[in-house]
């Protein structure tokens, strides 16, 4: 059996360090914010090459609170990818604003900068690219469009901890980056967690207030804020795991290399890595017109693959009210039918990846 991702194995590899960190928090008497959260914020900001990191409760809140802090509200529009996890859209909707989808570049699966300007209206406030699958989006053209139209840029980095764009770590290319520490992410907690990184002092200040009941001084509430604080137990775990992130991402990159080399002549659509990108390899996504049959064949040989994502946001019942037509966003719709994520993770052995290559090649070439 080759699991898609083995979170138990990840914990066991660091068990001594993680257990010690958790015990330290339990004994400290600090269970909301406090020194562990401060220390993680310092460490993570430094790692991301950003001035500030603000810990919040999860990735969705990181997106939502940042849009709030940017002043996004009812009547506003935010440009989002048509092919993303629904959280990107929900964060916009939670502000009372409208997500305006833009189709991806089929080669990279990331938002196509050439299609963004056509989607801008007088109501547009923010462009929200996603670094999907851990592959950095093409930030320079996006930032140029934002500057030209006076828009802010919030990046969804939930899948891309440690990735670099043109040599610089993701963290503050745009105005801010929203991060998720959901357990299966490259930097994953043992529960929910999230953060925002930014170089913008005013934005960071607003986020610190918004995440804690709109309060800077206890029982003094400046704005109608939220309860969305990073748990110090998770902050302590994240500090341990952050120290291993580069090494674990390097293991992912080595597995990606095995897949890229081994699957080159199979006719599968393989990830395209532009020369300016250093991906975090959160997912290794291939494309195949008979995706469902391929997934079934692999499951029969004990290889667990997933689909990211089977239904694009515009086809979800949650967005039925937006009344997108049957032909809306054909690229997102086509990808949802063809993408398949092969097993990848820091605890997957090279030997297991070779087994996946052999099984995929056999399944594809014997058809
Ligand atoms: C995981 C994820 C999120 C949301 O993170 P949570 O911590 O689960 O709220 C947002 N955007 C993308 C692209 C994600 O993959």
């Amino acid at each position: 059996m080759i699991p898609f991702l083995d979170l138990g194995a990840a914990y066991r590899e660091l068990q001594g360090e993680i257990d010690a960190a958790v015990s330290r928090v339990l004994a400290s008497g600090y269970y909301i914010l406090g020194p562990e959260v401060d220390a993680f914020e310092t460490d993570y900001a430094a790692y991301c090459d950003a001035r500030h990191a603000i810990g919040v409760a999860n990735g969705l809140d990181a997106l939502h609170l940042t849009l709030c802090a940017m002043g996004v509200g009812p009547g506003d529009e935010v440009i989002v990818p048509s092919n993303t996890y629904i959280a990107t859209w929900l964060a916009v909707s939670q502000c009372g604003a409208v997500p305006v989808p833009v189709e991806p570049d089929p080669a990279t699966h990331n938002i196509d900068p050439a299609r963004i300007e056509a989607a801008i209206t007088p109501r547009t406030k923010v462009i929200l690219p996603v670094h999907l699958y851990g592959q950095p989006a093409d930030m320079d053209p996006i930032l140029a469009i934002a500057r030209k139209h006076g828009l802010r840029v919030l990046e969804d980095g939930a899948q891309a901890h440690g990735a670099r764009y043109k040599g610089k770590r993701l963290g503050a290319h745009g105005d801010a980056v929203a991060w998720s520490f959901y357990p299966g992410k490259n930097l994953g907690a043992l529960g929910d967690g999230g953060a925002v990184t930014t170089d913008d002092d005013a934005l960071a200040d607003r986020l610190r207030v918004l995440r804690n009941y709109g309060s800077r001084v206890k029982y003094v509430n400046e704005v109608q804020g939220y309860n969305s604080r990073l748990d110090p137990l998770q902050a302590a775990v994240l500090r341990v795991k952050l120290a291993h992130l580069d090494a674990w991402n390097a293991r992912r990159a080595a597995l990606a290399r095995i897949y890229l080399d081994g699957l080159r002549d199979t006719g599968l659509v393989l990830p395209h890595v532009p020369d300016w990108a250093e991906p975090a390899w959160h997912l290794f996504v291939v494309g195949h017109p008979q995706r469902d049959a391929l997934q079934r064949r692999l499951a029969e040989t004990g290889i667990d693959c997933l689909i990211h994502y089977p239904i694009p946001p515009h086809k979800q019942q949650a967005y039925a009210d937006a009344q997108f037509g049957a032909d809306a966003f054909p690229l997102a719709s086509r990808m949802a039918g063809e993408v398949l994520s092969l097993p990848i993770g820091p605890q997957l052995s090279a030997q297991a990846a070779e087994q996946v290559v052999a099984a995929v090649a056999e399944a594809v070439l014997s058809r």
Side-chain angles (χ1 to χ4, degrees):
M1 272 299 297
I2 299 181
F4 179 73
L5 178 67
D6 190 346
L7 290 175
Y11 167 65
R12 287 190 296 276
E13 187 179 327
L14 303 178
Q15 186 166 3
E17 283 181 80
I18 289 175
D19 288 2
V22 168
S23 298
R24 185 176 72 229
V25 177
L26 295 180
S28 75
Y30 267 103
Y31 308 123
I32 297 290
L33 296 177
E36 288 293 341
V37 174
D38 291 347
F40 173 69
E41 289 177 344
T42 302
D43 292 353
Y44 196 58
Y47 179 84
C48 293
D49 211 355
R51 283 170 61 81
H52 306 277
I54 301 95
V56 296
N58 55 64
L60 175 58
D61 282 3
L63 290 162
H64 172 223
L65 295 188
T66 307
L67 291 171
C68 290
M70 289 175 166
V72 173
D76 293 336
E77 293 177 356
V78 175
I79 290 179
V80 296
S82 57
N83 63 324
T84 179
Y85 180 56
I86 196 167
T88 318
W89 287 40
L90 290 175
V92 177
S93 303
Q94 286 181 0
C95 295
V98 177
V100 175
V102 166
E103 291 263 75
D105 175 346
T108 64
H109 294 203
N110 273 323
I111 195 166
D112 185 348
R115 296 170 185 264
I116 290 177
E117 278 196 293
I120 293 174
T121 76
R123 296 168 182 266
T124 310
K125 284 276 163 61
V126 176
I127 305 175
L128 207 178
V130 178
H131 303 296
L132 196 68
Y133 306 150
Q135 307 279 342
D138 193 0
M139 291 307 297
D140 281 348
I142 294 171
L143 294 170
I145 294 165
R147 260 193 306 275
K148 180 173 157 197
H149 294 270
L151 306 176
R152 305 205 77 178
V153 176
L154 167 60
E155 304 160 59
D156 182 337
Q159 303 188 356
H161 316 76
R164 290 173 193 268
Y165 175 72
K166 299 190 177 171
K168 182 176 152 59
R169 193 95 71 178
L170 298 184
H173 288 273
D175 293 291
V177 185
W179 305 94
S180 164
F181 305 125
Y182 180 83
K185 309 291 190 187
N186 287 39
L187 180 58
L190 302 180
D192 278 308
V196 181
T197 54
T198 181
D199 280 348
D200 181 332
D201 299 345
L203 195 67
D205 184 64
R206 250 172 276 151
L207 281 163
R208 287 186 195 287
V209 170
L210 275 178
R211 74 166 172 190
N212 192 23
Y213 282 108
S215 171
R216 186 186 308 271
V217 176
K218 208 170 166 80
Y219 305 131
V220 179
N221 303 88
E222 300 170 22
V223 292
Q224 296 175 6
Y226 300 83
N227 178 350
S228 181
R229 300 170 294 223
L230 178 63
D231 182 335
L233 281 167
Q234 301 305 338
V237 170
L238 289 165
R239 285 177 74 195
V240 170
K241 293 183 102 179
L242 181 59
H244 298 271
L245 179 57
D246 283 344
W248 286 19
N249 277 351
R251 294 188 205 167
R252 288 175 179 272
L255 298 171
R257 181 42 55 202
I258 291 173
Y259 286 156
L260 286 169
D261 291 344
L263 298 172
R264 202 170 36 214
D265 300 321
T266 56
L268 279 178
V269 180
L270 297 178
H272 167 72
V273 182
D275 56 10
W276 41 255
E278 272 176 68
W281 293 109
H282 174 58
L283 298 172
F284 191 96
V285 177
V286 300
H288 193 269
Q290 277 86 45
R291 186 269 318 278
D292 292 340
L294 175 59
Q295 185 182 25
R296 247 179 283 120
R297 281 285 295 278
L298 293 170
E300 282 160 15
T301 65
I303 297 171
D304 186 21
C305 297
L306 297 181
I307 298 167
H308 299 90
Y309 295 92
I311 307 172
H314 75 277
K315 290 191 169 168
Q316 298 282 358
Q317 200 188 330
Y319 281 99
D321 284 355
Q323 298 193 309
F324 294 111
D327 302 330
F329 313 115
L331 292 177
S333 300
R334 195 189 77 206
M335 283 172 193
E338 296 185 351
V339 291
L340 185 68
S341 305
L342 305 183
I344 194 164
Q347 281 72 37
L348 190 78
S349 67
Q351 188 200 351
E354 299 284 7
Q355 256 174 276
V356 173
V357 166
V360 172
E362 149 80 18
V364 174
L365 299 175
S366 70
R367 292 187 60 83

